[in-house]
Amino acid sequence: MAAWLVRRAARRVAGELRGRGPGPWSLSSSTVPVLGVPAVDQSRAFCSVRRFAGDSAAAAAVEEPENGLAASGLQCVDFPGGKLSFVGEMNFLPESQTERINCYRVLDDDGGTIYNSRFQEVSKDLALKMYSNMVTLQIMDTIFYEAQRQGRISFYLTSNGEEAINIASAAALSAQDIVLPQYREPGVLLWRGFTPQEFANQLFGNKLDYGKGRQMPIHYGSNRLNYFTVSSPIATQLPQAVGAAYSLKMDKKKACAITYFGDGGTSEGDFHAALNFAAVAEAPMIFFCRNNGWAISTPTAEQFRSDGVVTRGQAYGIRSIRLDGNDTLAVYSAVHTAREMAITEGRPILIEAMTYRVGHHSTSDDSTKYRPADEMEHWRTARDPVSRYRKWVQGNGWWCGTQESQLRNNVRQELLQAIQVAERMPKHGLAELFTDVYDQIPSNLRQQERSLLDTIKRHPAEYPADVPV
């Protein structure tokens, strides 16, 4: 009886549909409504998915044949998400392309521009500022790394081999663009005006540290410079960056958000969630992946089987490019263009910068345990982005050996002076451990504060004397 009722209901529904004409699933023409385009037949668009076309996106109606056949003669249907053509052959997509995605490059290993290369022109002043910042970042890493080895700070992490990524990408942005870093991008903050003294204050956690000594060293941040504070968990900043970019879009700001991450970050779920979020929301942002070959001790060969990271952008409907991360002009040109596309077209862009982490992962790591020392030395010398860019600057007649010596001496003296000042600066008081979270400190935190003070009184020798109680 139940089966008979089901068949009867099905026949009645089928008759009603025939009376109404072709439905959205029929192999005939249908018009998908598009923002800004008058609807032709809204009743036939029930199962059609309309992609949000923001103010900057081009919306256009697509003319479709009346007989439901594609231009190739294949039948097609408008599934939710878009129109598809049918084929009779069962074809599985291959696991990878036959050829790897090419890598965009402007400068060769000797600092000369590659014939017919297309890149964004830079003025003499901009070129020299970029170079001086790269040298400053390089020296800063050396001095602060040595300070950690001397026991003067507890932790440090270098950007050796990735100076071009830091400085050139920062130079292509505007001050209004929002930066959500990982932890190997202090050069972006340096370019924006963060001084050596501010870096030293954070590393020593003194009274002038904006984080009030609560963060571990190298977790820089600056509201003034639109640079979000570094956070240790990997890739958590990616979906947050999409939200920041979308807020810029809602406010109709001529700015974008950019987030940096390593190849290891692409193995986190937040990476995939962020790319899909950005693509669907059409957020004006740049995903910048520093593919330096190593996620601490894990090589990329053990992280993914795809052709690096750049191919993943297309899977989420994101325009993408792979470039030589040790090429200053390539990085600058790509980020400059990506920023323009992100803002004017209202879209996310994925950049994969191929590079190599020359230094150890951090001062807590000894990378000679998992990779050959001669490989590290080869990248430190033969493929150094700073030396390569200097050759191009010198080739233009903009730089000489005397300027080089003077710059390095001045930067070194400024950094050593900054360390001395930061070391002598008093620390924040103990009470700052419990502030800046709640407007009114709750009773459980008050109890923790009293317990801590009691512990210090009972064990004064175990508490650092330079921190006010």
Side-chain angles (χ1 to χ4, degrees):
M1 183 66 177
W4 179 80
L5 289 174
V6 170
R7 288 195 297 273
R8 181 180 178 185
R11 286 195 296 270
R12 184 173 65 252
V13 171
E16 292 175 357
L17 290 177
R18 282 194 297 271
R20 296 176 185 175
W25 292 93
S26 63
L27 299 180
S28 63
S29 63
S30 63
T31 303
V32 182
V34 181
L35 288 181
V37 178
V40 178
D41 186 359
Q42 295 289 351
S43 66
R44 299 167 64 184
F46 177 76
C47 290
S48 299
V49 175
R50 180 173 62 188
R51 183 168 181 261
F52 173 67
D55 294 339
S56 61
V62 179
E63 293 294 330
E64 300 170 1
E66 291 296 330
N67 60 2
L69 298 179
S72 60
L74 299 175
Q75 286 187 325
C76 55
V77 66
D78 190 13
F79 284 103
K83 173 169 286 191
L84 295 174
S85 299
F86 294 121
V87 295
E89 297 180 7
M90 182 171 59
N91 293 320
F92 290 86
L93 295 176
E95 64 278 6
S96 61
Q97 299 181 357
T98 56
E99 296 183 2
R100 297 199 66 186
I101 301 297
N102 292 329
C103 188
Y104 171 60
R105 195 184 202 194
V106 176
L107 297 178
D108 59 27
D109 291 339
D110 296 322
T113 55
I114 298 174
Y115 179 70
N116 278 342
S117 60
R118 297 172 58 189
F119 62 95
Q120 186 72 29
E121 296 289 343
V122 296
S123 65
K124 176 182 177 181
D125 290 343
L126 178 59
L128 294 181
K129 182 181 178 182
M130 289 167 65
Y131 179 68
S132 64
N133 273 258
M134 291 171 70
V135 171
T136 301
L137 177 60
Q138 193 177 60
I139 297 174
M140 186 174 79
D141 277 343
T142 300
I143 291 179
F144 286 147
Y145 189 91
E146 292 172 351
Q148 192 280 334
R149 287 299 189 238
Q150 294 167 2
R152 301 167 80 175
I153 57 177
S154 61
F155 178 84
Y156 193 70
L157 184 151
T158 70
S159 304
N160 297 146
E162 301 180 33
E163 294 88 354
I165 286 175
N166 274 249
I167 303 303
S169 66
L173 301 172
S174 78
Q176 289 71 43
D177 296 330
I178 298 175
V179 179
L180 286 90
Q182 187 178 18
Y183 44 61
R184 214 177 294 277
E185 298 86 22
V188 178
L189 198 51
L190 176 68
W191 177 268
R192 292 194 162 202
F194 211 69
T195 66
Q197 188 63 63
E198 289 175 300
F199 281 111
N201 291 339
Q202 197 283 329
L203 294 172
F204 283 89
N206 62 32
K207 204 172 184 69
L208 295 181
D209 170 27
Y210 303 129
K212 298 185 178 181
R214 298 165 177 152
Q215 287 275 11
M216 65 183 292
I218 66 93
H219 282 45
Y220 313 109
S222 174
N223 291 337
R224 171 175 58 92
L225 300 175
N226 282 329
Y227 189 95
F228 274 58
T229 301
V230 173
S231 178
S232 288
I234 301 299
T236 54
Q237 77 277 13
L238 270 65
Q240 297 166 5
V242 181
Y246 193 67
S247 71
L248 293 172
K249 178 178 181 176
M250 292 178 66
D251 292 339
K252 301 186 185 304
K253 298 287 184 64
K254 297 298 182 182
C256 71
I258 183 170
T259 184
Y260 296 85
F261 51 97
D263 46 275
T266 68
S267 297
E268 296 288 339
D270 280 341
F271 168 78
H272 300 276
L275 262 65
N276 191 57
F277 180 17
V280 172
E282 296 180 331
M285 74 162 300
I286 301 172
F287 293 97
F288 197 108
C289 176
R290 301 174 292 93
N291 188 345
N292 62 22
W294 295 91
I296 307 183
S297 59
T298 304
T300 53
E302 296 180 14
Q303 290 184 65
F304 39 73
R305 287 291 180 268
S306 61
D307 178 13
V309 177
V310 68
T311 55
R312 303 184 186 190
Q314 191 174 35
Y316 289 102
I318 294 179
R319 192 174 295 173
S320 311
I321 187 173
R322 169 179 285 163
L323 57 84
D324 181 353
N326 289 17
D327 182 343
T328 304
L329 294 184
V331 175
Y332 175 79
S333 300
V335 175
H336 185 278
T337 304
R339 180 182 183 274
E340 289 297 315
M341 290 191 295
I343 295 174
T344 60
E345 299 178 26
R347 67 166 67 247
I349 305 293
L350 171 63
I351 296 175
E352 180 185 22
M354 307 301 292
T355 183
Y356 186 85
R357 194 194 75 212
V358 172
H360 305 298
H361 174 74
S362 71
T363 51
S364 302
D365 174 48
D366 179 7
S367 59
T368 61
K369 301 296 184 182
Y370 52 82
R371 58 180 182 172
D374 58 347
E375 175 183 291
M376 298 164 59
E377 182 63 17
H378 169 73
W379 281 88
R380 189 187 69 81
T381 55
R383 298 190 178 276
D384 174 37
V386 181
S387 299
R388 183 170 161 194
Y389 183 57
R390 183 175 66 243
K391 293 176 183 178
W392 179 77
V393 174
Q394 288 177 329
N396 288 325
W398 297 341
W399 199 249
C400 66
T402 302
Q403 293 170 295
E404 180 77 16
S405 299
Q406 185 177 3
L407 171 64
R408 291 184 176 272
N409 288 334
N410 291 343
V411 170
R412 182 174 180 82
Q413 291 303 316
E414 184 179 6
L415 285 164
L416 292 175
Q417 177 67 21
I419 289 178
Q420 293 177 8
V421 172
E423 262 184 324
R424 292 194 299 265
M425 186 69 60
K427 308 290 185 183
H428 278 280
L430 186 69
E432 293 290 2
L433 281 174
F434 304 94
T435 60
D436 295 338
V437 176
Y438 298 96
D439 180 40
Q440 299 294 328
I441 300 178
S443 59
N444 64 316
L445 286 185
R446 290 294 188 193
Q447 176 58 38
Q448 290 179 31
E449 185 177 11
R450 288 192 293 270
S451 177
L452 178 58
L453 291 172
D454 181 64
T455 301
I456 294 172
K457 290 179 181 178
R458 289 186 285 109
H459 307 282
E462 303 300 324
Y463 188 77
D466 60 340
V467 178
V469 178

